[in-house]
Amino acid sequence: MSVRALSVFLLFWSKCHCQDVLNDVLGEIIPFGRAATDESSTTSDPREAFIQAISDTQNVIEDEIKPFANFDREPQAPAPTPAPPQEPKYPDYQDQGNAPNIFEPPSQDISRLNVDEFGNPLGDIHSTDTTRYELGVGGDPDELKCPRNWERYKGSCYKFTRSPSIRWDLAREHCQQFKHDDSDKADLASIDTFEEHRFITEYLNNHDPQHRRWYISTRQESKDQWVNQGDGTQMLNLQEYFLDSNEWGELEQADYKKDHLVYAFSLKNRRWGFQPVFGHEDYLYICEVPIEEVRYLINDDRTAAYGQPLGDPRYIPMGPYFVRQPNHTVFDLSRRQIVNDVSLLCIAQGWPTPIYEWHKEVYINDTLQEVKVEPLNDSRLTVSGGQLIIHRPDQTVDKGTYFCTAGNRFGKIRSKSVSLAFGFIGEFILRRSSEIGNENWGKAIKCDAPHHYPDVRYYWAREYFPNFVEEDRRIMVSHDGYIYFTALENIDRGNYSCNVQSTVSNIGRNGPFFEINVQPHPNHQQLRFPQNFPKSFPEAPVAGEEVRLECIAFGYPVPHYNWTRINSQLPRGSYITNYNRVLIIPRVRVEDQGEYSCGAKNDNVHISATVTLSIQSRPVFTIPIGDRFFDENDEVVWTCEAFGIPDVQYSWLRNGKPFLADKSSLAPEDRDRYTIKDNILKIKQVQKDRDEGMYQCRARNDLDTRYSSGQLKVLMIPPTFSKHPLEEKTYAAEQGNVTLSCKPEAAPRPNITWYHQGNRIGSGGKRIIYPSGSLLLTTLTAAESGQYDCEATNKYGTDRSSGHLQVKKGPSFKGPSATKPTPRLISTKGERVELRCAAEADDILDRAYYWRLNGFILQFVEDYEEMRLLELKNAGGSRVSSEIDQLAFKPLDSHTEMFSSSLYTAQNNINKGTGDFQKFRRGIRDGYMMIDNISIAEAGTYECAVETVVGTIFATSEVIVHSPPGPPGGVTAVNMGNTSCTVAWTDGAFYGLRIETYRIEARTDHNDTWRVLEDGVEGQEIDYQGRRSRIDGRRQYRIEGKLTPWAAYQFRVAAYNDLGIGEWSEPSPQYKTRPGRPMKNVQNIRTGEGGRTGDMIVMWDPLSKEYQNAPGIYYKVYYKRSDEISFKEVKSLRSLGNIHSHTIRIEDRFYYTKYLVRVQVFNDKCIDTEGCEGPMSEEVEILSAEDLPQVAPTTVGARPSNSTAIRVKWTPIPNVREKVRGKLIGHRIKYWRQDLNEVTESQYVLSRSTLPTALIIGLQPNTYYWVRVMAYNSAGPGPESERFLERTFKLRPQKPPTAVQVYGINPSTIKVTWRYVAPTVQEEPLTGYQVRVWESDKDISQANDTTIYIGTYNFKLEAIITDLSPGKTYFLRVLAFSQGGEGKMSSPAWKFQMGDPARLNASPVLSKVSLFSAIIIPLFLWRLV
């Protein structure tokens, strides 16, 4: 655009006063924001100002942005970036008058490079409009869906029929029963794409752990040509999913005779695939129906309350249904004296209240018939509600099978049949022969239990009852009553008895005792399993029962056991017990069946055996029939499905009686209306008077029979809007869409007519009326506002409902108070970024703002904190009083926040993001958001959403974050020397600015601390590495003389740019430097401790591996006396290796003599015999070993310290080398009682002090002791001194002071009194008393003592304690003391609190009572209990 054209353009728009449009145009021309106007310019022509602004901005762009021609090459260096200001990017404005206008979008920093995180130049923003609208989409709320228990994939619904297993042709007939019209396409599933095949296999993986086979419609028309019979398509490109027939032992060449396909699971390939079959086998099957053809099967919106007035749901008219079925019951005959009745209970609900009847199943003329239980015919029988009570039950009459029925005016249903049995335990045989076994051989002994019902538990007793046999690794009591001995021992000899107890009561029987004799045997038994072990209890387990797998082996030594499952893991919830011999599965499942292996192992051999677990299952309804509500003349298709092993057989009942057992009994017009195909019941043209009632699907196998009940009700209801009227007010946005739902209750389905402002409207143009009755209005304007009426009509009546539609202006970013997010925002890591978003809408509409980052909803930290506090306060264990509420629940700061990541929410789920938690905060206006300390993790596309009731408006802002470089990758090292190497790496992410220099650090296997090798260096670009071609961004740097030889190094690299140092790379693999000669001396050469006379022990700190530089480290020691000229050399210590000390033999006369010592270091790269000079240490002065002291202390004396201690004093020996012969460490005091032998009864006190005094404690009172003193050094003690005799004092006071009383004098002073302590003749005379006071929150060791001496002129049995702190609580005790020591303290301690001085200043005028309270009684005293 030329300058003249721009001038004309500006003049035109200025006359039109189109300032907003002008700003947008300028924003496109000048990408950095508004052109700055020079206020000092005197240019009067606006065209010249505009041209000048364009020119200035172009210069800035050319200076600041230099696009990269090819990013595969190294980026060009950007222009120097001025240092960021020290003040924060968003200062706190104290003067609100100078604050920026928050209603204006933030200005762009024009000095920031216009590049993305990877350094790529960003193009100009030619379109700043990122606005997206969602102003209501409308549509049919009753969208197509599949019936309950069907699975949807694309445009079809699939039913995986788990029962019954039938032939291919019958399976196809069953699927075709779902046709509503002859033209419908319901059939076996047709598989023609890989995606459909994957859908089928994923479902089977999740829902068929038994890996059964499933029919589909595919059939082989000719060799390898498979055609789907359901839709006529050919199966193509799925040949690789056909399975090998020989996996199941079938001949592969015979597959061409198998013209049908099933889904089968290959254990070898661990996947589902296609398997050809003949078609006459019984398998499960998969039905497929187009989704638009199954609408007639869906009536989930109709329940028993459909068409009924609102009210208590308990009184809605409905047929009966069982909430509790009767249970199998056993009557314990042994408890007849206690309980002499038995009851069976069933409970049903419905309205009117169901009426119950009980029936018993009996065989009459070999035909099973149902006989009604009549309490009027037998006084022992009572029927109360659903409970049948039998008094004085008789086994011959009452034993059998019962069921109950429940019925009301809608029909009758029957319960499952349950048995009433009688439990008993017979008597044991009175005598039993003895058992004989061989030592170290196994033995199994049968319980020989009496007849019983039901099961019993077994217990074995030894010698007497109830001395039960304890199981251990040798002995086990099996579930069937056998007792097993893995290897008999002599200790097993004895008398044994088997005892049983009923599982339904505590009644049992005790068997006779018999002898088990163990005879010796020359050999032991080899390990083997007895009697078909391992075995399962029960042998034919049923799903839901507890299964016990037992394993025991005979043989010696006694083995250890373990259980495993072949080709699988042990079942979930199972556990191993009884010394690993028993595997228990508490509630076995069908998928737990398989082969289980038990292993037994001793020191000689390992054996194993398997048991196959086959699980049966009672019928369990996977698809119950449920209640169904239809219009008259509708078609009913009722499906029930049950799982069971063995397979389930189906039959149907109506009102408790078999249905269609004989079609000839039906009226001729009804015979063709009913069709039953196993578990599918189909009724055509359903009639209210003929077909209503209670229906049941009966599923039966050899284990049990179960019933699923449902009510069939034919509805005739006039339309009513009482439950679902039109919304009174509906809001919609201009240019948006809205759907008005019309859902009256009516049967048959009504015809819907819509009216607008009283005028009938039809479907067409902007209005669409769906078959469900809903009205869709599109492209709304104000003209569509007004009243809408929905009129529903059927043959039974008409009803109408009204509602108002108000079309309002939706949210918009246009307007004086609206702010649209900046399309692009570039920031630097660590800055505080503000994103602004504000929309305008109709005043009646509320606006809600939320932000998304890359599709995830952001949660503000304020919202999370509020939610966290609310959850804590409402938690059951966090009920706190209001007094501590503010202390218990404080907001988390950045240091105590339990989450280290920001919280994003997506679809109302809170997810952790990658940023810091305290990042996203609310701004000063709704819709504004602050991002604190922004990082790369917070870069991305931010979307602001403004939501109103009529629609939502969206706008995005791309936030680009410039940062120090990312971590380099692929750090390696090559050309390793002993002190140098070359480090190579690949540059990490640029994050906006070019990498300038690098920092290289390393650590070794000797030291985990990272050490800087090079800093601020430039990496050299690598063109070729070996024969490999150049890798973009691959760099290297040579490190010279900074490594340690013979060390394993790891390197890491970080890069610098203008924003600072970036993240560190991952540590490189370890690289070893070559060995070299030692470079460092040993340190801390010192005199070694110990040694005998004539030894000189030299110690030093050996070189750590970090400084050895090569293997084979060793040392050489040189020494001389201070007065000698040359050093003496110790022979090579190479054979000793890396030692830390060495002992040198010298003449005995040079005891405790100073020597100068040096140590030299060598290794395999520097050997002393080859002339290598290793590093030599500095000369260090050390001392040779000491000798025993030669003289004894003199003038030894002693004085008693108290009744149990004596203090000894003496004259020390001269501290000269010839006397001490080393360094004096201390003295050794020898003492013994006068009446004891010195040689055998002496004791010693070691005083590690050179002072001529010591204290001997732990002596007996009033007793004489002899003492001697010896000096000692590190070589040992010297000669003993002369002995000295001294007596200890008598006992200390043995009684505490009594009658201790404390009186307050003022708020800081107390008076203490007590009674005199009279000493006995065994005690020393009293010297005085001590009052011990300490603060209640401190220990007694910190107490203050007040001493009162006896014999003073003013002596009294009292003490004044001052300087106490007002208001504090104290403890106090009193004791007597003498020369014998301190006596016992008074007990218990006094606890008192000093008076509060504030009471003295509480009022300017004190009454007599208050004065007395404040001064005379300033403290409260109480005794400790």
Side-chain angles (χ1 to χ4, degrees), residues 1296-1297 1328-1332 1373-1377 1382-1386:
Y1329 296 90
Q1330 287 183 347
V1331 180
R1332 188 159 291 169
R1373 282 187 171 185
V1374 183
L1375 60 89
F1377 67 94
E1382 293 181 352
K1384 295 182 178 179
M1385 292 187 292
S1386 62

Side-chain angles (χ1 to χ4, degrees), residues 701-883:
N701 66 7
D702 295 340
L703 300 177
D704 203 354
T705 301
R706 297 292 174 86
Y707 296 85
S708 176
S709 304
Q711 177 183 0
L712 175 59
K713 188 174 184 181
V714 180
L715 302 177
M716 299 178 180
I717 304 171
T720 174
F721 287 95
S722 59
K723 295 181 182 178
H724 305 288
L726 264 66
E727 291 289 341
E728 183 178 353
K729 286 186 179 181
T730 302
Y731 293 93
E734 293 181 356
Q735 301 304 313
N737 304 334
V738 68
T739 298
L740 302 180
S741 296
C742 181
K743 295 183 177 180
E745 289 186 345
R749 303 282 181 179
N751 297 320
I752 302 298
T753 306
W754 281 92
Y755 297 87
H756 178 213
Q757 298 293 95
N759 299 318
R760 179 174 178 174
I761 57 177
S763 182
K766 296 171 57 177
R767 304 183 181 112
I768 299 175
I769 301 177
Y770 290 105
S772 63
S774 298
L775 171 63
L776 171 64
L777 303 174
T778 62
T779 319
L780 292 171
T781 63
E784 274 73 41
S785 297
Q787 177 177 323
Y788 284 81
D789 298 321
C790 176
E791 185 180 82
T793 303
N794 66 8
K795 62 182 178 179
Y796 299 109
T798 301
D799 198 8
R800 176 180 288 205
S801 179
S802 301
H804 287 80
L805 174 65
Q806 297 186 16
V807 180
K808 300 292 184 179
K809 178 183 177 183
S812 171
F813 287 124
K814 297 179 180 179
S817 62
T819 302
K820 185 164 54 178
T822 306
R824 181 188 298 157
L825 183 63
I826 301 176
S827 63
T828 302
K829 181 181 178 180
E831 289 183 343
R832 189 182 188 197
V833 176
E834 182 182 37
L835 297 179
R836 300 181 179 182
C837 177
E840 289 190 353
D842 196 291
D843 293 339
I844 199 174
L845 301 177
D846 291 331
R847 282 157 286 178
Y849 294 85
Y850 58 89
W851 286 86
R852 281 191 176 96
L853 172 56
N854 298 328
F856 288 93
I857 295 179
L858 297 177
Q859 186 179 36
F860 295 111
V861 65
E862 297 92 342
D863 299 339
Y864 170 75
E865 188 66 25
E866 181 180 356
M867 180 178 66
R868 186 186 70 86
L869 294 178
L870 184 61
E871 289 178 352
L872 287 176
K873 291 181 180 180
N874 291 333
S878 301
R879 305 298 184 189
V880 298
S881 64
S882 59
E883 297 178 358

Side-chain angles (χ1 to χ4, degrees), residues 499-521:
N499 308 273
V500 296
Q501 181 184 1
S502 173
T503 57
V504 297
S505 69
N506 54 7
I507 302 301
R509 295 287 186 269
N510 298 329
F513 280 92
F514 63 94
E515 183 182 5
I516 296 180
N517 190 21
V518 181
Q519 60 185 12
H521 195 278

Side-chain angles (χ1 to χ4, degrees), residues 832 860-862 918-923 928-932:
R832 189 182 188 197
F860 295 111
V861 65
E862 297 92 342
Q918 307 244 354
K919 289 284 186 175
F920 306 106
R921 296 181 177 273
R922 294 186 181 277
Y928 286 24
M929 180 174 66
M930 306 299 297
I931 308 174
D932 294 333

